[in-house]
Amino acid sequence: MSDSPYLVKPHSKVNLKKYPTNDTGDFKDKEDAEPATDRHLKRLSVLQEVLYAQAKYSVLIVFQALDAGGKDGAIEHVFSSVNPQGCQVTSFKVPSTEEKSHDYLWRYHMHVPARGMIGIFNRSHYESLLVERVRKFAPEKVWSKRFDQINAFEEMLAAEDVIILKFFLHISKEEQKERMESRLLDATKNWKFNPGDLEDRKFWDDYQEAYEDVLSKCSTKHGPWYVVPSDRKWFRNWVISDAIVRKLEGLDMKFPPPVPGIEKIKVK
Amino acid sequence: MSDSPYLVKPHSKVNLKKYPTNDTGDFKDKEDAEPATDRHLKRLSVLQEVLYAQAKYSVLIVFQALDAGGKDGAIEHVFSSVNPQGCQVTSFKVPSTEEKSHDYLWRYHMHVPARGMIGIFNRSHYESLLVERVRKFAPEKVWSKRFDQINAFEEMLAAEDVIILKFFLHISKEEQKERMESRLLDATKNWKFNPGDLEDRKFWDDYQEAYEDVLSKCSTKHGPWYVVPSDRKWFRNWVISDAIVRKLEGLDMKFPPPVPGIEKIKVK
C-alpha cells in the first residue's frame, strides 16, 4: 500500500509556509469525509485485535503541535474505536525533579509500548528540540546533537519491531487565536486554557523554525513524520487515521498459530 | 443515587451458589438491554470529561473472574466510549523476577490511576488471595493476613480520593466450558486459549471458596465488590456500566474554576 501524501520524505527540506493548514484533500466538507474516516476507524479496530493477539509489533504514535493544535481532540477521535486494553496514551507534562535528573530520553523510553500495544505520546521526546530550544532551556551545543541521538533511538526501536508514526498537527496562527479565544469564552473549555500558552504564542515563528528542522532532519524510513493540515478537525482525523491504517495494512500481521495438538484438547 | 443491586453489602457472608450467573434483571433479552447500556456509556463519556478536567478524583476499577469469565470483553465494551487519554488499562500477568522480589502490593500500587484518570485492573492485587491461595503459591499464614492488608491499602487510597469499584464476573461452570470450547474451535479465538486454564478449571470449587472469602471480607464502604451475573455478556455490560455511572453521579464533580481575571485576557 502506498504512503500517505502527507508523509515527509526522508532528507527533504521542509518549509512549513508551503504546507497549507486548511487543505481538505479530495473532500468537499465534513459530511463528505466522515464516512471515509469511520471506515478507517473500523478497520483500525480490526487491525488492532490482530496486533494485540500476535504481540509481535508495537505501534508508537507521536503527536506534536503548537498549543490548541488539536492533539487531545485527535487522540480522542482517532482512537475512539480501539480496545482500551491494547492502547496506552501518555501525556508528557513538565518533567518531575526525578525525571529532570535523568537523560532527556529516559522518561519517554519508559513509555514505549510493549509488543502488541499501541502507545500514543501526547507530546514526546521531540520537546527536547522544540520548547527546550525555543525557550532556551537547553543551549544549542546540547540540543543540536539531539537530532542524531533521536534518530538513533528510533532506529533501535524500529529494529525491535516498534512501528513509529509521528504526526505534526499544522494549524495557522489565526486558527490558534480562534481556538484560544473559544477556551476563554466557553465555561466547559476554560480548564483547557493555560495562560502560559499566550507566552508561547509570542514565539510562533521560532517554533515554526524549530519544527521545520525536526521535520527535515528526523523524518526517516523507520520513523516518518507526517504534516497534518489541521485547521479542519475532521480532515485532520481523516489524515491521521488514513496514515495509520496504511501503515498497519502493510505489516505481515496474523493471528498466532494455535498450540500444537489443539484439535485433541477436550474441556472436561 | 442508590447503590447497584449487585453490590455486596459490607460484612455480609457471600455464598456464590445463591448468586445466579444467568440473571438478566428487568431485561427480556439483549435487544431490550442495549439501549439502556448505550445510555450509560454515553453518560460515562460525559462524566469522564469532568473527572479528567477537575483532576480531583481518580477511579480504580478492578476486574476479577475465572478464566473465560469475560474480563477482556467487559473492558472492551464498557470503556469503548471513554476517551483513551483519560483511561489506562493494566493487565497483570505472571509477575517478573523483579516484581516477585517486592512485596505483593508493589506492582499494583504503581498502576493506581492518577487524579483525573480511570485506571482499570485486568486481574489485580486480589490474585494474592485467589491463585496464590488455591494453587498454594503462598502458605495460609501468609495469605490469611492479606484481607486486612488489602482493606487497609484500599482505605488509604480512598482517603486520597481514589474511587474504587471491584467487579467479580460470575459465570457457571458450564458457561466456562462452552467458552473454552469456542476458543478451541474458532481460529480467530485460538490465541486466547491457554492450556493452563484447563488445569485451573480442575480447582473450580477451591476458586469459588476463595472468591467467597474475598467478597465477604473485602467488600467495604470505600472499596465495594459487585457480583456481576455474567453468563449473558450483554447483561454483564449493563450491570457494570450501571454501577460505574451510579457511583460517578454521586460525586461532587464539576469543571474547575477558570483562572482569575480570565474575562480580561486577550489573545493577540
Side-chain angles (χ1 to χ4, degrees):
Chain A
M1 189 171 277
S2 64
D3 278 325
S4 159
Y6 299 94
L7 175 98
V8 177
K9 294 212 171 58
H11 311 297
S12 54
K13 181 87 189 74
V14 173
N15 174 355
L16 281 174
K17 289 198 186 65
K18 296 191 179 162
Y19 287 73
T21 56
N22 60 358
D23 183 16
T24 61
D26 294 333
F27 298 109
K28 279 200 312 288
D29 55 24
K30 185 174 176 176
E31 285 61 43
D32 192 28
E34 275 181 348
T37 306
D38 286 347
R39 274 195 301 279
H40 282 326
L41 300 194
K42 285 204 183 71
R43 187 68 196 138
L44 178 57
S45 166
V46 172
L47 290 162
Q48 186 206 14
E49 197 191 352
V50 189
L51 176 85
Y52 187 84
Q54 187 178 23
K56 175 181 178 184
Y57 300 105
S58 63
V59 179
L60 172 60
I61 299 175
V62 166
F63 285 100
Q64 287 287 160
L66 275 85
D67 296 313
K71 299 188 303 298
D72 293 344
I75 293 169
E76 177 164 11
H77 210 91
V78 175
F79 300 96
S80 58
S81 67
V82 306
N83 184 343
Q85 182 150 271
C87 179
Q88 193 152 24
V89 183
T90 313
S91 300
F92 292 97
K93 322 255 168 164
V94 176
S96 69
T97 309
E98 189 195 11
E99 288 170 342
K100 272 188 209 153
S101 72
H102 287 270
D103 71 86
Y104 71 99
L105 286 177
W106 184 79
R107 67 174 182 148
Y108 301 102
H109 204 161
M110 213 178 299
H111 292 276
V112 170
R115 290 178 198 277
M117 297 288 292
I118 297 176
I120 298 162
F121 281 7
N122 185 341
R123 301 187 187 275
S124 70
H125 43 301
Y126 285 97
E127 291 292 332
S128 70
L129 284 166
L130 298 165
V131 65
E132 290 198 43
R133 167 181 175 176
V134 170
R135 305 301 297 271
K136 301 195 183 349
F137 300 153
E140 180 164 357
K141 72 173 177 154
V142 170
W143 61 252
S144 60
K145 290 180 186 152
R146 291 178 175 168
F147 299 100
D148 289 344
Q149 291 165 349
I150 286 177
N151 285 343
F153 172 62
E154 293 182 358
E155 196 172 345
M156 178 280 290
L157 294 179
E160 295 283 320
D161 300 321
V162 182
I163 309 302
I164 303 171
L165 299 96
K166 302 175 294 194
F167 296 103
F168 170 57
L169 309 185
H170 186 33
I171 56 168
S172 69
K173 200 172 177 186
E174 182 55 30
E175 179 70 17
Q176 187 188 52
K177 182 167 187 273
E178 282 174 27
R179 293 187 187 179
M180 284 183 167
E181 283 171 344
S182 86
R183 289 181 180 182
L184 290 170
L185 294 171
D186 180 341
T188 68
K189 288 184 181 172
N190 282 173
W191 64 280
K192 293 187 185 175
F193 179 79
N194 171 7
D197 294 353
L198 289 181
E199 195 52 32
D200 258 340
R201 181 169 160 83
K202 295 179 189 163
F203 294 87
W204 181 274
D205 293 338
D206 297 327
Y207 274 111
Q208 298 292 312
E209 189 189 337
Y211 269 109
E212 285 172 346
D213 276 353
V214 161
L215 296 165
S216 302
K217 294 178 183 173
C218 298
S219 191
T220 58
K221 190 167 175 297
H222 52 265
W225 271 107
Y226 301 83
V227 177
V228 183
S230 297
D231 282 357
R232 304 287 165 272
K233 295 170 182 172
W234 52 267
F235 187 64
R236 169 200 77 196
N237 296 340
W238 179 81
V239 171
I240 297 166
S241 60
D242 179 67
I244 298 172
V245 168
R246 283 176 199 243
K247 179 68 86 175
L248 296 188
E249 296 280 15
L251 301 174
D252 59 326
M253 296 204 295
K254 48 184 178 285
F255 285 105
V259 291
I262 195 168
E263 64 286 352
K264 288 180 212 138
I265 296 173
K266 288 273 173 289
V267 184
K268 282 168 201 153
Chain B
M1 190 170 277
S2 64
D3 277 325
S4 160
Y6 298 94
L7 176 99
V8 177
K9 294 212 172 58
H11 311 296
S12 55
K13 181 89 189 75
V14 173
N15 174 354
L16 280 174
K17 291 200 183 62
K18 295 191 179 162
Y19 286 72
T21 57
N22 59 359
D23 182 17
T24 60
D26 296 333
F27 299 109
K28 281 199 312 286
D29 55 22
K30 186 174 176 176
E31 285 62 41
D32 192 28
E34 276 182 345
T37 307
D38 286 346
R39 275 195 302 279
H40 282 327
L41 300 194
K42 283 204 183 72
R43 187 69 195 137
L44 178 56
S45 165
V46 171
L47 289 162
Q48 185 207 15
E49 197 191 351
V50 189
L51 176 83
Y52 187 83
Q54 186 178 24
K56 175 182 177 183
Y57 300 106
S58 63
V59 179
L60 172 59
I61 299 176
V62 166
F63 285 100
Q64 288 286 162
L66 275 86
D67 295 314
K71 299 189 303 301
D72 294 343
I75 292 169
E76 177 164 10
H77 211 92
V78 175
F79 301 96
S80 57
S81 67
V82 306
N83 183 345
Q85 182 151 269
C87 179
Q88 194 151 22
V89 183
T90 313
S91 300
F92 292 98
K93 322 257 167 159
V94 176
S96 69
T97 309
E98 189 194 9
E99 288 170 341
K100 271 187 210 154
S101 73
H102 288 270
D103 71 87
Y104 71 100
L105 287 177
W106 182 80
R107 67 175 183 148
Y108 301 102
H109 203 160
M110 213 176 302
H111 292 277
V112 169
R115 291 179 196 276
M117 296 287 294
I118 297 176
I120 298 162
F121 281 7
N122 185 342
R123 302 187 187 274
S124 69
H125 43 302
Y126 285 96
E127 291 292 332
S128 70
L129 284 166
L130 298 164
V131 64
E132 290 197 42
R133 168 182 173 175
V134 170
R135 304 302 296 270
K136 300 195 185 343
F137 300 154
E140 180 164 0
K141 71 169 185 179
V142 170
W143 62 253
S144 61
K145 290 179 186 153
R146 292 179 174 168
F147 300 99
D148 289 344
Q149 291 165 349
I150 286 177
N151 286 343
F153 172 61
E154 293 182 359
E155 197 171 346
M156 178 280 291
L157 294 179
E160 296 282 320
D161 300 320
V162 182
I163 308 303
I164 303 170
L165 299 97
K166 301 176 294 195
F167 296 103
F168 169 57
L169 309 185
H170 186 34
I171 57 169
S172 69
K173 199 172 178 186
E174 181 56 30
E175 178 70 19
Q176 187 189 53
K177 182 167 188 271
E178 282 175 27
R179 293 187 187 181
M180 284 182 167
E181 282 170 347
S182 86
R183 289 182 180 181
L184 290 171
L185 295 172
D186 179 341
T188 68
K189 288 184 181 174
N190 281 173
W191 64 279
K192 293 187 185 176
F193 179 79
N194 171 6
D197 294 353
L198 289 181
E199 194 53 31
D200 259 339
R201 182 171 160 82
K202 295 180 189 160
F203 294 87
W204 180 274
D205 292 338
D206 297 325
Y207 274 111
Q208 297 291 312
E209 189 189 338
Y211 269 109
E212 286 173 345
D213 277 353
V214 160
L215 296 165
S216 302
K217 294 179 185 175
C218 298
S219 191
T220 57
K221 190 167 174 297
H222 53 266
W225 271 107
Y226 301 83
V227 177
V228 182
S230 297
D231 281 357
R232 304 286 165 271
K233 294 170 183 173
W234 52 268
F235 188 64
R236 169 199 77 195
N237 295 340
W238 179 82
V239 170
I240 296 166
S241 60
D242 179 67
I244 298 171
V245 167
R246 283 177 199 244
K247 180 66 88 176
L248 297 188
E249 295 279 14
L251 301 174
D252 58 328
M253 295 204 295
K254 47 183 178 289
F255 284 106
V259 290
I262 195 168
E263 64 285 354
K264 289 182 211 137
I265 296 173
K266 288 274 172 290
V267 183
K268 283 168 200 155

